Amino acid sequence: MMALIGKEMRMTLRSLVFYLFIIASVFFYFTSYATEETWGELGSPVISTPQNVGTIEHPYYGWKQPADTRDLAEQMRKEMGWNLDAGTSQKIRLGFPFKVKLSEKEKTALSAAISQLDEVLKNPDKYTMDEVYTIAESVNNQLGGKSIYQQGLGEFGSAIESVDEAIKAQEADLARYNAKVDAGELLPGAARYFSDYLSLPAGIFPVFLSAFLLLRDRSSRMNELIYSRRISPWVYVGSKFIAQGVMLSLIYLILAVIGGWQTVNSLGLTGQTGQAVVIFLGYTAWWLLPTLWISVAFGMFGSMLFRRGIVPIALQIIWWFVSVLPLLGSYGLNRLFIRFNSPNDYELYWKWTDEIALNRSFYLILSVLLAAGAAWLWERNRSRLDSAKTLSRKTAKGSVAASAAEALR
């Protein structure tokens, strides 16, 4: 089997689509992750003189997250009040935000939550931020989930309208950054950010290679010769699956090494290159590679099931679009890849680790099952061809015998 895997790897190196995959992945890396904007998000906040980008009547110095329980409760109450007055709210459906009409039951849930927030505002020091978020999470559940009240999907920040407020916001950002560095959360956050962006090409380009992998023999008219050999379908299909997955995985592992090294250099984290590379490789293996391997397996299985490579490609494109949004907080088993489009929110990430682990484990297992399914379908096609040949030989022998009998008469 190792010889077949090596042969398939060499065949992959001759594929134009493989090099297009490399170009696309490198393009996503340099245009989405390795950018000045990313280094600005990952780096230390800059303390500078606040600039008004609004108007004199309506000054605007930026956007700030809730600083304490009072801020959070006030902004949350405003949002709920607006929704209740309008009778509508935003929900995420198929990865996209939609405005939906609230039912009477949902309006009652919002009214009850507003009453709870009023109690919080009477004495905010008695409550924690997590307790306030729990109120929003309760509303989210009563709205059917995937609403703007799900933590990570909705923002409860507010506009900064004065210079003093802007300076305090900058100081708060710097304090949060220093706390993140001290807690060892900077590099894992960068690795998640890297994985989020690189998951986009991982979820679509591999299927263009794998969807025609098993059909290549038919197009080159070699399938009958291969079918006639007593090779195990598990060895034949498995070698292609492993070779394709390994070749594509190597691209991402190399990019992970480059990403860890470049992140350390760009942020000036002296002496942390080795640590960064290990963290980036770990997140890549656990976060990205299941998406890549399931894409390979799905293309192979779909091409055998439908006998057309274009069908699994079309289905994968739909699957990809469904998985793109939201950027945070949706990790059901229908999600082809993981979106966590933030280098921060460490506590929020850990809140979802069980869902993410289940999703990644599911796709690792499913990729093996689909590859096995592709091998079974390949063997069934071979058996059908053998049956057709046997029937053809019997028919030919019968015709010869009939002709000989006719000649003897």
Side-chain angles (χ1 to χ4, degrees), residues 22-324:
I22 295 176
I23 292 171
S25 300
V26 172
F27 174 80
F28 267 85
Y29 173 78
F30 282 106
T31 59
S32 297
Y33 178 73
T35 64
E36 290 302 321
E37 183 180 355
T38 297
W39 309 138
E41 286 189 68
L42 293 173
S44 175
V46 177
I47 303 297
S48 60
T49 303
Q51 300 294 320
N52 179 18
V53 294
T55 63
I56 297 177
E57 296 81 8
H58 301 285
Y60 179 75
Y61 292 90
W63 189 260
K64 66 174 182 178
Q65 295 302 313
D68 51 33
T69 305
R70 181 185 293 278
D71 277 354
L72 179 59
E74 285 178 349
Q75 296 304 319
M76 199 177 286
R77 193 194 184 290
K78 284 181 184 178
E79 187 70 39
M80 291 182 182
W82 292 332
N83 286 166
L84 194 57
D85 291 341
T88 61
S89 182
Q90 276 197 341
K91 294 183 181 180
I92 304 298
R93 294 290 180 265
L94 298 176
F96 296 94
F98 286 95
K99 185 175 287 187
V100 296
K101 188 176 181 180
L102 295 171
S103 67
E104 290 302 320
K105 184 179 179 181
E106 291 170 335
K107 290 179 181 178
T108 301
L110 279 173
S111 297
I114 289 174
S115 298
Q116 288 179 279
L117 291 171
D118 287 337
E119 290 298 318
V120 172
L121 290 170
K122 288 178 182 178
N123 196 346
D125 294 337
K126 289 176 57 179
Y127 300 87
T128 64
M129 299 280 276
D130 284 341
E131 288 173 330
V132 179
Y133 276 119
T134 299
I135 296 173
E137 191 63 36
S138 176
V139 172
N140 174 64
N141 293 335
Q142 294 181 73
L143 294 181
K146 299 296 183 291
S147 73
I148 59 170
Y149 298 106
Q150 179 174 322
Q151 195 171 356
L153 295 187
E155 295 287 344
F156 299 107
S158 58
I160 300 173
E161 299 177 346
S162 70
V163 173
D164 290 342
E165 195 179 7
I167 292 174
K168 289 180 180 178
Q170 289 181 358
E171 292 173 348
D173 286 342
L174 182 59
R176 280 194 292 268
Y177 174 82
N178 290 331
K180 180 174 68 174
V181 172
D182 292 341
E185 298 172 2
L186 179 60
L187 288 175
R192 289 195 300 274
Y193 212 33
F194 166 87
S195 299
D196 174 81
Y197 282 121
L198 269 294
S199 64
L200 297 175
I204 191 66
F205 285 100
V207 76
F208 286 91
L209 274 166
S210 63
F212 298 99
L213 200 57
L214 295 172
L215 298 177
R216 187 174 59 201
D217 299 327
R218 187 178 68 180
S219 62
S220 61
R221 298 183 180 181
M222 293 292 292
N223 58 323
E224 290 191 14
L225 176 61
I226 294 171
Y227 284 170
S228 66
R229 296 183 176 180
R230 291 295 91 192
I231 184 174
S232 165
W234 314 109
V235 172
Y236 182 73
V237 176
S239 63
K240 290 179 178 290
F241 171 65
I242 293 172
Q244 193 91 107
V246 168
M247 291 297 288
L248 298 179
S249 296
L250 284 174
I251 304 305
Y252 276 89
L253 295 174
I254 292 170
L255 285 175
V257 173
I258 295 172
W261 168 78
Q262 192 171 8
T263 300
V264 167
N265 281 354
S266 299
L267 301 183
L269 305 175
T270 307
Q272 298 186 43
T273 302
Q275 180 187 359
V277 168
V278 170
I279 291 173
F280 271 67
L281 285 173
Y283 271 95
T284 298
W286 180 234
W287 188 300
L288 282 173
L289 296 194
T291 296
L292 191 150
W293 284 81
I294 189 62
S295 299
V296 173
F298 184 75
M300 295 176 69
F301 177 79
S303 66
M304 287 291 94
L305 181 63
F306 298 105
R307 305 295 292 158
R308 293 289 185 276
I310 194 64
V311 177
I313 290 175
L315 293 174
Q316 181 99 2
I317 290 173
I318 296 171
W319 199 2
W320 186 89
F321 274 108
V322 169
S323 303
V324 168

Side-chain angles (χ1 to χ4, degrees), residues 370-381:
L370 287 181
W376 179 80
L377 290 171
W378 184 84
E379 176 62 19
R380 189 182 68 168
N381 291 337

Side-chain angles (χ1 to χ4, degrees), residues 376-393:
W376 179 80
L377 290 171
W378 184 84
E379 176 62 19
R380 189 182 68 168
N381 291 337
R382 179 165 67 171
S383 299
R384 285 180 174 177
L385 183 62
D386 287 343
S387 298
K389 283 183 176 181
T390 302
L391 180 61
S392 177
R393 284 195 295 267

